[in-house]
Amino acid sequence: MMTLTQLQVLVAAAKAGSFTRAAEEIGFTQSAVSQMIQALEKELGVCLFLRSRSGITPTSIGERMLQHARDILTITACMTEEANLARGLASGTLRIASIPSVASRFLPGLLGSFRKRFPAVEIMLLEGDSDEIDKWMSSSVVDIAFTAIPGRELQTMPLLLDEMMVILPDTHPLKDRATLRFDEIADRCFIMPKDGCIKKMLQENAITPAITFEVREVYTILTMVQEYIGVTIMPELYMPAVLPKVVAIPLDPPIRREVVLAVRDWQTISPLTAEFAVHSQKYVQAMEPFLPDRKAVGEV
């Protein structure tokens, strides 16, 4: 009869790509891990992994069994969390994914306030683009995500609106404008943030800049703008609290993206994940008076 331990070992082995590395990570011997996988394969009557000198790779049926194993482990974790909440306790692991702008600017305060409420909860945070987040969600690597372009299979809750801003040096002739049209900066060298979400938003709004540089680090982009190397357009959430010598001016017409909370299914999330979702919306609503250019959306 298969056990939860076998399923945990199965998931750990697939993630590590090696029985030896999996054993080191979960505190078993390599022999024990190998034997549990072999016993599981014998019980199911299928081969779960292809073995080679370079490591292990899930077979096609192994991939399907892995998804079932992750689902079962998620359900058992939900049962434990719900029982803990009923006993007045709050523990467990919350696995969160986020697009970079939210992770750098918005999440630190949110996670800090959530941890004050639930100090025993272990929080794991992964940062990635929208495509990576969709993959993590579909394979149950994370429980909940902050994203701007969620996959169709995900269920979402609106969180806040984030406005696209033109970034110029603070001594630029256009620095005092209330808004800027793209055609007013179209002839400038353009520094494109390395973010598929931003590119897609600009394309959807018929903005096609002549990209001179493509840069991942936000502070590097802002410093390049400061030095008159080029201009850029980025979401307001991207920008750090303290800016270098640049100004941020809203686009005309405005372009806004909606940042949402995404899960696989709101009906099956754990009590801990549900608490975090509600806490996130309340946190945004409480911060709204201090963020005049950004609006919270949706109601709990």
Side-chain angles (χ1 to χ4, degrees), residues 168-177 180 188 228 247 249:
L168 302 174
D170 65 0
T171 54
H172 195 280
L174 300 174
K175 67 180 177 64
D176 294 321
R177 293 284 298 276
L180 276 175
R188 311 283 178 171
Y228 276 80
V247 294
I249 303 172

Side-chain angles (χ1 to χ4, degrees), residues 209-258:
I211 301 172
T212 309
F213 303 97
E214 192 165 353
V215 182
R216 185 180 300 277
E217 293 297 327
V218 173
Y219 199 83
T220 301
I221 296 174
L222 297 178
T223 303
M224 292 172 72
V225 172
Q226 171 189 302
E227 297 299 326
Y228 276 80
I229 295 173
V231 299
T232 191
I233 298 173
M234 64 174 62
E236 189 182 4
L237 269 177
Y238 253 60
M239 294 178 285
V242 179
L243 293 174
K245 296 178 180 180
V246 299
V247 294
I249 303 172
L251 269 172
D252 178 23
I255 300 176
R256 297 183 179 94
R257 64 175 185 172
E258 185 177 65

Side-chain angles (χ1 to χ4, degrees), residues 122-226:
E122 180 182 352
I123 298 175
M124 182 187 79
L125 176 62
L126 296 179
E127 183 180 321
D129 59 30
S130 297
D131 291 338
E132 289 174 317
I133 288 174
D134 287 347
K135 291 176 183 176
W136 294 334
M137 291 296 301
S138 64
S139 59
S140 299
V141 172
V142 296
D143 305 306
I144 192 166
F146 295 87
T147 185
I149 309 179
R152 293 180 180 178
E153 73 282 359
L154 299 180
Q155 296 182 7
T156 64
M157 175 188 294
L159 193 64
L160 56 85
L161 295 175
D162 193 20
E163 186 161 10
M164 298 288 277
M165 312 291 282
V166 179
I167 313 300
L168 302 174
D170 65 0
T171 54
H172 195 280
L174 300 174
K175 67 180 177 64
D176 294 321
R177 293 284 298 276
T179 61
L180 276 175
R181 300 187 313 274
F182 174 70
D183 59 30
E184 295 178 278
I185 60 167
D187 61 340
R188 311 283 178 171
C189 294
F190 194 86
I191 307 168
M192 173 64 76
K194 215 165 193 177
D195 185 316
C197 176
I198 296 176
K199 289 182 182 179
K200 184 174 181 180
M201 289 180 68
L202 295 180
Q203 290 170 357
E204 289 175 347
N205 287 273
I207 292 179
T208 54
I211 301 172
T212 309
F213 303 97
E214 192 165 353
V215 182
R216 185 180 300 277
E217 293 297 327
V218 173
Y219 199 83
T220 301
I221 296 174
L222 297 178
T223 303
M224 292 172 72
V225 172
Q226 171 189 302

Side-chain angles (χ1 to χ4, degrees), residues 62-72 137-140 264:
E63 289 283 4
R64 296 199 291 276
M65 294 300 105
L66 273 166
Q67 186 58 60
H68 293 320
R70 292 187 184 104
D71 290 342
I72 292 169
M137 291 296 301
S138 64
S139 59
S140 299
R264 291 174 65 195

Side-chain angles (χ1 to χ4, degrees), residues 15-34:
K15 182 179 178 181
S18 161
F19 292 152
T20 301
R21 285 195 294 273
E24 292 172 352
E25 291 175 5
I26 60 180
F28 289 148
T29 64
Q30 188 275 338
S31 176
V33 168
S34 182

Side-chain angles (χ1 to χ4, degrees), residues 14-89:
K15 182 179 178 181
S18 161
F19 292 152
T20 301
R21 285 195 294 273
E24 292 172 352
E25 291 175 5
I26 60 180
F28 289 148
T29 64
Q30 188 275 338
S31 176
V33 168
S34 182
Q35 288 177 20
M36 278 190 274
I37 295 297
Q38 289 175 6
L40 191 55
E41 289 178 323
K42 184 177 180 180
E43 181 175 347
L44 294 172
V46 295
C47 177
L48 299 173
F49 292 103
L50 297 174
R51 281 84 162 167
S52 69
R53 291 183 179 181
S54 59
I56 57 172
T57 306
T59 60
S60 58
I61 186 62
E63 289 283 4
R64 296 199 291 276
M65 294 300 105
L66 273 166
Q67 186 58 60
H68 293 320
R70 292 187 184 104
D71 290 342
I72 292 169
L73 293 174
T74 297
I75 291 170
T76 57
C78 287
M79 292 175 66
T80 301
E81 288 174 15
E82 198 155 343
N84 286 338
L85 287 172
R87 290 184 289 127
L89 304 174

